[in-house]
Each structure stands twice: as C-alpha cells, then as structure tokens.
Coordinates of all heavy atoms in Angstrom, one line a residue:
M1 N -9.4 18.4 -13.4 CA -9.7 16.9 -13.5 C -10.7 16.7 -14.6 O -11.8 17.2 -14.5 CB -10.3 16.4 -12.1 CG -9.3 16.5 -11.0 SD -9.8 15.6 -9.5 CE -11.3 16.5 -9.1
M2 N -10.3 16.0 -15.5 CA -11.2 15.7 -16.7 C -12.0 14.5 -16.4 O -11.5 13.5 -15.9 CB -10.3 15.5 -17.9 CG -9.6 16.7 -18.4 SD -8.7 16.5 -19.9 CE -10.0 16.0 -21.0
G3 N -13.3 14.5 -16.7 CA -14.2 13.4 -16.5 C -14.3 12.8 -15.1 O -14.6 11.7 -15.0
G4 N -13.9 13.7 -14.1 CA -14.0 13.2 -12.8 C -12.8 12.3 -12.3 O -12.8 11.8 -11.2
R5 N -11.9 12.1 -13.2 CA -10.7 11.2 -12.9 C -9.6 12.1 -12.3 O -9.3 13.2 -12.8 CB -10.2 10.5 -14.1 CG -11.2 9.5 -14.6 CD -10.7 8.8 -15.9 NE -11.7 8.0 -16.5 CZ -11.6 6.6 -16.5 NH1 -10.5 6.0 -15.9 NH2 -12.5 5.9 -17.0
R6 N -9.0 11.6 -11.3 CA -7.9 12.3 -10.7 C -6.6 12.0 -11.5 O -6.5 10.9 -12.1 CB -7.6 11.8 -9.3 CG -8.8 12.1 -8.4 CD -8.5 11.8 -6.9 NE -8.0 10.4 -6.8 CZ -7.2 10.0 -5.8 NH1 -7.0 10.9 -4.8 NH2 -6.8 8.8 -5.7
S7 N -5.8 13.0 -11.7 CA -4.5 12.8 -12.4 C -3.6 11.8 -11.6 O -3.8 11.6 -10.4 CB -3.8 14.2 -12.5 OG -3.2 14.6 -11.3
L8 N -2.7 11.3 -12.4 CA -1.7 10.3 -11.7 C -1.0 11.0 -10.6 O -0.8 10.4 -9.5 CB -0.8 9.8 -12.8 CG 0.3 8.8 -12.3 CD1 -0.4 7.6 -11.6 CD2 1.2 8.4 -13.4
E9 N -0.5 12.2 -10.8 CA 0.2 12.9 -9.7 C -0.7 13.1 -8.5 O -0.2 13.0 -7.4 CB 0.8 14.2 -10.2 CG 2.0 14.1 -11.0 CD 3.1 13.3 -10.3 OE1 3.4 13.7 -9.2 OE2 3.7 12.4 -10.9
T10 N -1.9 13.4 -8.7 CA -2.8 13.6 -7.5 C -3.0 12.2 -6.8 O -3.0 12.2 -5.6 CB -4.2 14.1 -8.0 OG1 -4.0 15.4 -8.6 CG2 -5.2 14.3 -6.8
K11 N -3.2 11.2 -7.6 CA -3.3 9.8 -7.0 C -2.1 9.4 -6.2 O -2.2 8.8 -5.2 CB -3.6 8.8 -8.1 CG -4.9 8.9 -8.7 CD -5.1 7.8 -9.8 CE -6.4 7.9 -10.5 NZ -6.6 6.9 -11.5
L12 N -0.9 9.8 -6.7 CA 0.3 9.4 -6.0 C 0.7 10.3 -4.8 O 1.7 10.0 -4.1 CB 1.5 9.4 -7.0 CG 1.4 8.4 -8.1 CD1 2.6 8.5 -9.1 CD2 1.3 7.0 -7.6
Q13 N 0.0 11.4 -4.6 CA 0.3 12.3 -3.5 C 0.5 11.6 -2.2 O 1.4 11.9 -1.5 CB -0.7 13.4 -3.5 CG -0.4 14.5 -2.5 CD -1.3 15.7 -2.6 OE1 -2.3 15.7 -3.4 NE2 -1.1 16.7 -1.8
P14 N -0.5 10.7 -1.7 CA -0.3 10.1 -0.4 C 1.0 9.3 -0.4 O 1.7 9.2 0.6 CB -1.5 9.2 -0.3 CG -2.5 9.8 -1.2 CD -1.7 10.4 -2.3
L15 N 1.4 8.7 -1.5 CA 2.6 7.9 -1.6 C 3.8 8.8 -1.4 O 4.7 8.6 -0.5 CB 2.7 7.2 -2.9 CG 4.0 6.3 -3.2 CD1 3.6 5.2 -4.1 CD2 5.1 7.2 -3.8
R16 N 3.9 9.9 -2.2 CA 5.0 10.8 -2.1 C 5.1 11.5 -0.8 O 6.2 11.9 -0.4 CB 4.9 11.8 -3.2 CG 5.1 11.3 -4.6 CD 5.0 12.4 -5.7 NE 5.1 11.9 -7.0 CZ 6.3 11.6 -7.6 NH1 7.4 11.7 -7.0 NH2 6.3 11.2 -8.9
E17 N 4.0 11.8 -0.1 CA 4.1 12.5 1.2 C 4.3 11.6 2.4 O 4.5 12.1 3.5 CB 2.8 13.3 1.3 CG 2.6 14.4 0.3 CD 1.3 15.1 0.5 OE1 0.4 14.7 1.2 OE2 1.1 16.2 -0.3
G18 N 4.2 10.3 2.2 CA 4.4 9.4 3.3 C 5.8 9.4 3.9 O 6.8 9.5 3.1
P19 N 6.0 9.2 5.2 CA 7.4 9.3 5.8 C 8.3 8.2 5.3 O 9.5 8.5 5.1 CB 7.1 9.2 7.3 CG 5.7 8.7 7.4 CD 5.0 9.0 6.2
W20 N 7.8 7.0 5.0 CA 8.7 5.9 4.5 C 9.2 6.3 3.1 O 10.4 6.2 2.9 CB 7.9 4.6 4.5 CG 8.8 3.5 4.0 CD1 9.8 2.8 4.7 CD2 8.9 3.0 2.7 NE1 10.4 1.9 3.9 CE2 9.8 2.0 2.6 CE3 8.2 3.2 1.5 CZ2 10.2 1.2 1.5 CZ3 8.5 2.5 0.3 CH2 9.5 1.5 0.4
F21 N 8.4 6.7 2.2 CA 8.8 7.0 0.9 C 9.8 8.2 0.9 O 10.8 8.2 0.2 CB 7.6 7.3 0.0 CG 8.0 7.5 -1.5 CD1 8.2 6.4 -2.3 CD2 8.1 8.7 -2.0 CE1 8.5 6.5 -3.6 CE2 8.4 8.9 -3.4 CZ 8.6 7.8 -4.2
R22 N 9.4 9.2 1.7 CA 10.3 10.4 1.7 C 11.6 10.1 2.3 O 12.6 10.8 2.0 CB 9.6 11.5 2.6 CG 8.5 12.2 1.9 CD 8.0 13.4 2.6 NE 8.1 13.1 4.1 CZ 7.3 13.6 5.0 NH1 6.4 14.5 4.6 NH2 7.4 13.3 6.2
S23 N 11.8 9.1 3.1 CA 13.0 8.7 3.7 C 14.0 8.1 2.7 O 15.2 7.9 3.0 CB 12.8 7.8 4.9 OG 12.5 6.5 4.5
L24 N 13.5 7.6 1.6 CA 14.3 7.0 0.6 C 15.1 8.0 -0.2 O 14.6 9.1 -0.4 CB 13.4 6.2 -0.4 CG 12.5 5.1 0.2 CD1 11.6 4.5 -0.8 CD2 13.3 4.0 0.9
N25 N 16.3 7.6 -0.7 CA 17.0 8.6 -1.5 C 16.3 8.6 -2.9 O 15.5 7.8 -3.2 CB 18.5 8.2 -1.6 CG 18.8 7.0 -2.4 OD1 18.2 6.8 -3.5 ND2 19.7 6.1 -1.9
A26 N 16.6 9.6 -3.7 CA 15.9 9.9 -4.9 C 16.0 8.7 -5.9 O 15.0 8.4 -6.6 CB 16.5 11.2 -5.6
D27 N 17.2 8.0 -5.9 CA 17.3 6.9 -6.9 C 16.3 5.8 -6.5 O 15.7 5.2 -7.4 CB 18.7 6.4 -6.9 CG 19.7 7.3 -7.5 OD1 19.3 8.2 -8.3 OD2 20.9 7.2 -7.2
V28 N 16.2 5.5 -5.2 CA 15.3 4.4 -4.8 C 13.9 4.8 -5.0 O 13.0 4.0 -5.4 CB 15.6 4.0 -3.3 CG1 14.6 3.0 -2.8 CG2 17.0 3.5 -3.1
Q29 N 13.5 6.1 -4.7 CA 12.2 6.6 -5.0 C 11.8 6.4 -6.5 O 10.7 5.9 -6.8 CB 12.1 8.1 -4.7 CG 12.0 8.4 -3.2 CD 11.9 9.9 -2.9 OE1 11.8 10.7 -3.8 NE2 11.9 10.2 -1.6
E30 N 12.7 6.7 -7.4 CA 12.5 6.5 -8.8 C 12.3 5.0 -9.1 O 11.5 4.6 -10.0 CB 13.6 7.1 -9.6 CG 13.6 8.6 -9.6 CD 12.2 9.2 -10.0 OE1 11.6 8.8 -11.0 OE2 11.7 10.1 -9.3
Q31 N 13.1 4.1 -8.5 CA 12.9 2.7 -8.7 C 11.5 2.2 -8.3 O 10.9 1.4 -9.0 CB 14.0 1.9 -8.0 CG 15.4 2.1 -8.6 CD 16.5 1.3 -7.8 OE1 16.2 0.7 -6.8 NE2 17.7 1.5 -8.3
V32 N 11.1 2.7 -7.1 CA 9.8 2.3 -6.6 C 8.7 2.8 -7.6 O 7.8 2.0 -8.0 CB 9.5 2.9 -5.2 CG1 8.1 2.8 -4.8 CG2 10.4 2.2 -4.2
L33 N 8.8 4.0 -8.1 CA 7.8 4.6 -9.0 C 7.9 3.9 -10.3 O 6.8 3.7 -11.0 CB 8.1 6.1 -9.2 CG 7.8 7.0 -8.0 CD1 8.2 8.4 -8.2 CD2 6.3 6.9 -7.6
A34 N 9.1 3.5 -10.8 CA 9.2 2.8 -12.1 C 8.5 1.4 -12.0 O 8.0 0.9 -13.1 CB 10.7 2.6 -12.4
G35 N 8.4 0.8 -10.9 CA 7.8 -0.6 -10.8 C 6.4 -0.5 -10.3 O 5.7 -1.5 -10.0
L36 N 5.8 0.7 -10.3 CA 4.5 0.9 -9.8 C 3.4 0.4 -10.7 O 3.4 0.6 -11.9 CB 4.3 2.4 -9.6 CG 3.0 2.9 -8.9 CD1 3.0 2.6 -7.5 CD2 2.9 4.4 -9.1
H37 N 2.4 -0.3 -10.1 CA 1.2 -0.7 -10.7 C 0.0 -0.3 -9.9 O -0.1 -0.7 -8.7 CB 1.1 -2.2 -10.9 CG 2.2 -2.8 -11.7 ND1 2.2 -2.8 -13.1 CD2 3.4 -3.4 -11.3 CE1 3.3 -3.3 -13.5 NE2 4.1 -3.7 -12.5
I38 N -0.9 0.6 -10.4 CA -2.0 1.0 -9.6 C -3.2 0.1 -9.9 O -3.5 -0.3 -11.0 CB -2.4 2.5 -10.0 CG1 -1.3 3.4 -9.6 CG2 -3.7 2.9 -9.3 CD1 -1.5 4.8 -9.9
R39 N -3.8 -0.4 -8.8 CA -4.9 -1.3 -8.9 C -6.0 -0.8 -8.0 O -5.8 -0.5 -6.8 CB -4.4 -2.7 -8.4 CG -5.5 -3.7 -8.4 CD -4.9 -5.1 -8.1 NE -4.4 -5.2 -6.8 CZ -4.5 -6.3 -6.1 NH1 -5.0 -7.4 -6.6 NH2 -4.1 -6.4 -4.8
K40 N -7.2 -0.8 -8.5 CA -8.4 -0.4 -7.7 C -9.0 -1.7 -7.2 O -9.2 -2.6 -7.9 CB -9.4 0.3 -8.6 CG -10.6 0.8 -7.8 CD -11.5 1.6 -8.6 CE -12.6 2.1 -7.7 NZ -13.4 3.1 -8.3
V41 N -9.1 -1.7 -5.8 CA -9.6 -2.9 -5.2 C -11.1 -2.6 -4.7 O -11.3 -1.6 -4.0 CB -8.7 -3.3 -4.0 CG1 -9.3 -4.5 -3.3 CG2 -7.3 -3.6 -4.5
P42 N -12.0 -3.4 -5.1 CA -13.4 -3.2 -4.6 C -13.5 -3.2 -3.1 O -12.8 -4.0 -2.4 CB -14.2 -4.3 -5.3 CG -13.4 -4.8 -6.4 CD -11.9 -4.6 -5.9
A43 N -14.4 -2.5 -2.5 CA -14.7 -2.5 -1.1 C -15.0 -3.9 -0.6 O -15.7 -4.6 -1.3 CB -15.8 -1.5 -0.7
G44 N -14.3 -4.3 0.4 CA -14.6 -5.6 1.0 C -13.8 -6.7 0.4 O -13.8 -7.9 0.9
A45 N -13.0 -6.5 -0.7 CA -12.3 -7.5 -1.3 C -11.0 -7.8 -0.6 O -10.4 -6.9 0.1 CB -11.9 -7.1 -2.8
Q46 N -10.5 -9.0 -0.6 CA -9.3 -9.4 0.0 C -8.1 -9.2 -0.9 O -8.2 -9.6 -2.1 CB -9.4 -10.9 0.4 CG -8.2 -11.4 1.2 CD -8.3 -12.8 1.6 OE1 -8.8 -13.7 0.9 NE2 -7.9 -13.1 2.9
V47 N -7.1 -8.5 -0.4 CA -5.9 -8.2 -1.2 C -5.0 -9.4 -1.2 O -4.5 -9.8 -2.2 CB -5.2 -6.9 -0.8 CG1 -4.0 -6.6 -1.6 CG2 -6.2 -5.7 -0.9
F48 N -4.7 -9.9 0.0 CA -3.9 -11.1 0.2 C -4.3 -11.6 1.6 O -4.8 -11.0 2.4 CB -2.4 -10.9 0.0 CG -1.8 -9.8 0.8 CD1 -1.4 -10.0 2.1 CD2 -1.6 -8.5 0.3 CE1 -0.8 -9.0 2.9 CE2 -1.0 -7.5 1.0 CZ -0.6 -7.8 2.3
A49 N -3.9 -12.9 1.8 CA -4.3 -13.6 3.0 C -3.1 -13.9 3.9 O -2.0 -14.0 3.4 CB -5.0 -14.9 2.6
Q50 N -3.4 -14.1 5.1 CA -2.4 -14.4 6.1 C -1.7 -15.7 5.7 O -2.3 -16.7 5.3 CB -3.1 -14.6 7.5 CG -2.2 -14.9 8.6 CD -3.1 -15.0 9.9 OE1 -4.2 -14.6 10.0 NE2 -2.5 -15.5 11.0
G51 N -0.4 -15.7 5.7 CA 0.4 -16.8 5.3 C 0.8 -16.9 3.9 O 1.7 -17.7 3.5
E52 N 0.2 -16.0 3.0 CA 0.6 -16.0 1.6 C 2.0 -15.4 1.4 O 2.4 -14.5 2.2 CB -0.4 -15.2 0.8 CG -1.7 -15.9 0.5 CD -2.6 -15.1 -0.4 OE1 -2.3 -13.9 -0.7 OE2 -3.7 -15.6 -0.7
M53 N 2.7 -15.8 0.4 CA 3.9 -15.2 0.0 C 3.6 -13.7 -0.4 O 2.6 -13.5 -1.1 CB 4.7 -15.9 -1.1 CG 5.2 -17.3 -0.7 SD 6.4 -17.2 0.6 CE 7.8 -16.4 -0.2
P54 N 4.5 -12.8 -0.1 CA 4.2 -11.4 -0.5 C 4.3 -11.2 -2.0 O 5.2 -11.9 -2.6 CB 5.3 -10.6 0.3 CG 6.4 -11.6 0.5 CD 5.7 -12.9 0.7
S55 N 3.5 -10.4 -2.5 CA 3.5 -10.1 -3.9 C 4.2 -8.8 -4.2 O 4.2 -8.3 -5.3 CB 2.1 -10.1 -4.5 OG 1.3 -9.1 -3.9
G56 N 4.8 -8.2 -3.2 CA 5.4 -6.9 -3.4 C 5.0 -5.9 -2.3 O 4.3 -6.2 -1.4
L57 N 5.4 -4.7 -2.5 CA 5.0 -3.6 -1.6 C 3.6 -3.1 -2.1 O 3.3 -3.0 -3.2 CB 6.0 -2.4 -1.7 CG 7.4 -2.7 -1.3 CD1 8.3 -1.5 -1.6 CD2 7.4 -3.0 0.2
H58 N 2.8 -2.7 -1.1 CA 1.5 -2.1 -1.4 C 1.3 -0.8 -0.6 O 1.6 -0.8 0.6 CB 0.4 -3.1 -0.9 CG 0.5 -4.4 -1.6 ND1 -0.1 -4.7 -2.8 CD2 1.1 -5.6 -1.2 CE1 0.2 -6.0 -3.1 NE2 0.9 -6.5 -2.2
C59 N 0.9 0.2 -1.3 CA 0.7 1.5 -0.6 C -0.8 1.9 -0.8 O -1.3 1.8 -1.9 CB 1.6 2.6 -1.2 SG 1.3 4.2 -0.5
I60 N -1.4 2.3 0.2 CA -2.8 2.7 0.1 C -2.8 4.1 -0.4 O -2.2 5.0 0.2 CB -3.5 2.7 1.5 CG1 -3.4 1.3 2.2 CG2 -5.0 3.1 1.4 CD1 -4.0 0.2 1.4
L61 N -3.5 4.4 -1.5 CA -3.5 5.7 -2.1 C -4.9 6.4 -1.8 O -4.9 7.6 -1.8 CB -3.4 5.6 -3.7 CG -2.0 5.1 -4.1 CD1 -2.0 5.0 -5.7 CD2 -0.9 5.9 -3.6
A62 N -5.9 5.6 -1.6 CA -7.2 6.2 -1.3 C -8.0 5.2 -0.6 O -7.8 4.0 -0.7 CB -8.0 6.6 -2.6
G63 N -9.0 5.6 0.3 CA -9.8 4.7 1.0 C -9.0 4.1 2.2 O -8.1 4.8 2.7
Q64 N -9.4 2.9 2.6 CA -8.7 2.3 3.7 C -8.7 0.8 3.5 O -9.5 0.3 2.8 CB -9.3 2.7 5.1 CG -10.7 2.3 5.3 CD -11.3 2.8 6.6 OE1 -10.8 3.7 7.2 NE2 -12.3 2.1 7.1
A65 N -7.8 0.1 4.2 CA -7.8 -1.4 4.2 C -7.7 -1.9 5.6 O -7.0 -1.3 6.5 CB -6.6 -1.8 3.4
H66 N -8.5 -2.9 5.9 CA -8.5 -3.5 7.2 C -7.5 -4.7 7.2 O -7.5 -5.5 6.3 CB -9.9 -4.0 7.6 CG -10.9 -2.9 7.9 ND1 -12.1 -3.1 8.4 CD2 -10.8 -1.6 7.7 CE1 -12.7 -2.0 8.5 NE2 -12.0 -1.0 8.1
V67 N -6.6 -4.7 8.2 CA -5.7 -5.8 8.4 C -6.3 -6.7 9.5 O -6.6 -6.3 10.6 CB -4.3 -5.3 8.9 CG1 -3.4 -6.4 9.1 CG2 -3.8 -4.3 7.9
T68 N -6.6 -7.9 9.1 CA -7.2 -8.9 10.0 C -6.3 -10.1 10.1 O -5.5 -10.4 9.3 CB -8.6 -9.3 9.5 OG1 -8.5 -9.9 8.2 CG2 -9.5 -8.1 9.4
G69 N -6.6 -10.8 11.2 CA -5.9 -12.1 11.4 C -6.9 -13.1 12.0 O -8.0 -12.7 12.6
V70 N -6.6 -14.4 11.9 CA -7.4 -15.4 12.5 C -6.7 -16.1 13.6 O -5.6 -16.5 13.5 CB -7.8 -16.5 11.4 CG1 -8.7 -17.5 12.0 CG2 -8.5 -15.8 10.2
S71 N -7.4 -16.1 14.8 CA -6.8 -16.7 16.0 C -6.8 -18.2 15.8 O -7.4 -18.8 15.0 CB -7.5 -16.3 17.2 OG -8.8 -16.9 17.2
V72 N -6.1 -18.9 16.8 CA -6.0 -20.3 16.8 C -7.5 -20.9 17.0 O -7.8 -21.9 16.5 CB -5.1 -20.8 18.0 CG1 -5.1 -22.3 18.1 CG2 -3.7 -20.3 17.7
A73 N -8.3 -20.1 17.7 CA -9.7 -20.5 17.9 C -10.6 -20.3 16.7 O -11.8 -20.6 16.7 CB -10.2 -19.8 19.1
G74 N -10.0 -19.7 15.6 CA -10.8 -19.4 14.4 C -11.5 -18.1 14.4 O -12.3 -17.9 13.5
R75 N -11.2 -17.2 15.4 CA -11.9 -15.9 15.4 C -11.1 -14.9 14.5 O -9.9 -14.8 14.6 CB -11.9 -15.4 16.8 CG -12.9 -16.1 17.7 CD -12.8 -15.4 19.1 NE -14.0 -15.7 19.8 CZ -14.1 -15.5 21.1 NH1 -13.0 -15.1 21.8 NH2 -15.2 -15.8 21.7
L76 N -11.9 -14.1 13.8 CA -11.3 -13.1 13.0 C -11.2 -11.8 13.9 O -12.1 -11.4 14.6 CB -12.3 -12.7 11.8 CG -11.8 -11.7 10.8 CD1 -10.6 -12.3 10.0 CD2 -12.9 -11.4 9.8
S77 N -10.0 -11.2 13.8 CA -9.7 -10.1 14.7 C -9.2 -8.9 13.8 O -8.3 -9.2 12.9 CB -8.6 -10.4 15.7 OG -9.1 -11.4 16.6
L78 N -9.6 -7.7 14.1 CA -9.1 -6.5 13.4 C -7.8 -6.2 14.1 O -7.7 -5.9 15.3 CB -10.1 -5.4 13.5 CG -9.7 -4.1 12.9 CD1 -9.5 -4.2 11.4 CD2 -10.7 -3.0 13.2
I79 N -6.7 -6.2 13.3 CA -5.4 -5.9 13.8 C -5.0 -4.4 13.6 O -4.4 -3.8 14.4 CB -4.3 -6.8 13.1 CG1 -4.6 -8.2 13.5 CG2 -2.9 -6.4 13.5 CD1 -3.8 -9.2 12.7
G80 N -5.5 -3.8 12.5 CA -5.2 -2.4 12.2 C -6.0 -2.0 11.0 O -6.6 -2.7 10.3
I81 N -5.9 -0.7 10.8 CA -6.6 0.0 9.6 C -5.5 0.8 8.9 O -4.9 1.6 9.5 CB -7.8 0.9 10.0 CG1 -8.8 0.0 10.7 CG2 -8.3 1.6 8.8 CD1 -10.0 0.8 11.3
L82 N -5.3 0.5 7.6 CA -4.4 1.3 6.8 C -5.1 2.4 6.1 O -6.2 2.2 5.5 CB -3.7 0.3 5.8 CG -3.0 -0.9 6.4 CD1 -2.5 -1.8 5.3 CD2 -1.8 -0.4 7.2
R83 N -4.5 3.5 6.0 CA -5.0 4.7 5.4 C -4.1 5.2 4.3 O -2.9 4.8 4.2 CB -5.3 5.8 6.4 CG -6.4 5.3 7.4 CD -6.8 6.3 8.4 NE -7.9 6.0 9.2 CZ -7.9 5.1 10.2 NH1 -6.8 4.6 10.7 NH2 -9.0 4.8 10.9
P84 N -4.5 6.2 3.5 CA -3.6 6.7 2.4 C -2.2 7.1 2.9 O -2.1 7.8 4.0 CB -4.4 7.9 1.9 CG -5.8 7.6 2.1 CD -5.8 6.8 3.4
G85 N -1.2 6.6 2.2 CA 0.2 6.8 2.6 C 0.7 5.7 3.4 O 2.0 5.6 3.6
D86 N -0.1 4.7 3.9 CA 0.4 3.6 4.6 C 0.9 2.5 3.7 O 0.3 2.3 2.6 CB -0.7 3.0 5.6 CG -1.0 3.9 6.7 OD1 -0.1 4.7 7.1 OD2 -2.1 3.7 7.3
W87 N 1.9 1.8 4.1 CA 2.5 0.7 3.3 C 2.3 -0.6 4.0 O 2.3 -0.7 5.2 CB 4.0 0.9 3.1 CG 4.3 2.1 2.2 CD1 4.3 3.4 2.5 CD2 4.6 2.0 0.8 NE1 4.6 4.1 1.4 CE2 4.8 3.3 0.4 CE3 4.8 0.9 -0.1 CZ2 5.2 3.6 -1.0 CZ3 5.1 1.2 -1.4 CH2 5.3 2.5 -1.8
V88 N 2.2 -1.7 3.2 CA 2.2 -3.1 3.7 C 3.0 -3.9 2.8 O 3.1 -3.7 1.6 CB 0.7 -3.5 3.9 CG1 0.0 -3.7 2.6 CG2 0.7 -4.8 4.7
G89 N 3.6 -5.0 3.4 CA 4.4 -5.9 2.6 C 5.8 -5.7 2.6 O 6.6 -6.6 2.1
Y90 N 6.3 -4.6 3.1 CA 7.8 -4.3 3.0 C 8.6 -5.2 3.9 O 9.6 -5.7 3.6 CB 8.1 -2.9 3.3 CG 7.6 -2.3 4.5 CD1 8.3 -2.3 5.7 CD2 6.3 -1.7 4.6 CE1 7.8 -1.8 6.9 CE2 5.8 -1.1 5.7 CZ 6.6 -1.2 6.9 OH 6.1 -0.6 8.0
L91 N 8.1 -5.6 5.1 CA 8.8 -6.4 6.0 C 9.0 -7.8 5.5 O 10.0 -8.4 5.5 CB 8.2 -6.5 7.4 CG 8.3 -5.2 8.2 CD1 7.6 -5.3 9.6 CD2 9.7 -4.8 8.4
A92 N 7.9 -8.4 4.9 CA 7.9 -9.7 4.3 C 8.9 -9.7 3.1 O 9.6 -10.7 2.9 CB 6.5 -10.1 3.9
C93 N 8.9 -8.6 2.4 CA 9.8 -8.6 1.2 C 11.3 -8.5 1.7 O 12.2 -9.1 1.1 CB 9.5 -7.3 0.4 SG 8.0 -7.4 -0.6
L94 N 11.5 -7.9 2.8 CA 12.9 -7.7 3.3 C 13.4 -9.0 3.9 O 14.5 -9.4 3.7 CB 13.0 -6.6 4.3 CG 12.8 -5.2 3.8 CD1 12.8 -4.2 4.9 CD2 13.9 -4.8 2.8
D95 N 12.5 -9.7 4.7 CA 13.0 -10.9 5.4 C 12.6 -12.2 4.7 O 13.0 -13.3 5.1 CB 12.5 -11.0 6.8 CG 11.0 -11.2 7.0 OD1 10.3 -11.5 6.1 OD2 10.6 -11.0 8.2
G96 N 11.9 -12.1 3.5 CA 11.6 -13.2 2.7 C 10.5 -14.1 3.3 O 10.3 -15.3 2.8
A97 N 9.8 -13.7 4.3 CA 8.8 -14.5 4.9 C 7.6 -14.6 4.0 O 7.3 -13.8 3.2 CB 8.4 -13.9 6.3

C-alpha cells in the first residue's frame, strides 16, 4: 500500500465477497463493476433520505451506515446497520419505488 491508500482491488474486496454479488453471473458482475463510482461519505452524513427516488445501488465497502426511519409521531428509529459487503437500493431499483 503506497501512501497509506488501499488499492482498488482491496477496496472492492467486500463487494466481491458478498453473497449477492457472487450470485450474479460473470457478465452481470462486470456490468456492475463497469458502472461503479466509489464515494467516501463523511461520518454522520446522510446518503439519501426516506422517500427519495433511488440513485442506484450502494454497497458499503468500509465502515458502516445506519438505516433510520421516521415514525408518524416524528420519532427517529434505527432500522438496521449496514456493514462492508451489504447493499442498499436494489429493491427500489427493481420495483421503481
């Protein structure tokens, strides 16, 4: 590792090892990788909000992301925690929600 930066292949390891990605045939895997954009999100930053149109598939490569929702009463609730190799956005992309 030069300059403390991880290589692209090392960064993509959680993606490649995840069960969803591994279940795809090789052609689809290559299509996913061809459209890949790596973005570093600062701790505590919001990636997208409840009710927004999906901007694509998102895979956690490092760190974690909290999935939260707001109840009818206005309370913020922790729904889940995403870790390296976890994906979000695929269901909304499939059903167009």
